[in-house]
Amino acid sequence: MKKVMDYQDLRNLGYPQNQARRIIRQAKRNLVKQGFAFYNGKRVGLVPTAAIAEIIALPDLEDDKQ
């Protein structure tokens, strides 16, 4: 899987648009809490796949095979 994902990648996995955007927002909040202030911006739409995998609990997203 890719190293970074946006909401469109989540849509391709089958998530509805609104839910995909909420997952991205939650991942950004978690990253800001971990000290990555870069993700505090509104226009940042790409987040690491590992951060998304923590939220949706899919371990196969964490595998970096590509």
Side-chain angles (χ1 to χ4, degrees):
M1 196 79 178
K2 300 165 137 183
K3 292 188 182 214
V4 291
M5 295 178 77
D6 62 356
Y7 89 97
Q8 201 64 23
D9 294 325
L10 290 171
R11 297 258 318 173
N12 293 337
L13 289 175
Y15 287 94
Q17 181 175 351
N18 203 15
Q19 188 174 11
R21 289 185 187 272
R22 279 190 307 217
I23 291 170
I24 295 293
R25 274 189 239 127
Q26 183 63 45
K28 286 173 57 174
R29 272 189 232 116
N30 291 347
L31 288 166
V32 169
K33 285 181 185 177
Q34 292 175 9
F36 298 103
F38 169 77
Y39 293 102
N40 204 16
K42 283 196 320 190
R43 294 187 174 222
V44 178
L46 292 172
V47 295
T49 303
I52 293 174
E54 288 178 12
I55 295 170
I56 60 176
L58 288 177
D60 56 336
L61 287 180
E62 294 175 348
D63 295 338
D64 290 329
K65 295 184 181 185
Q66 286 185 347

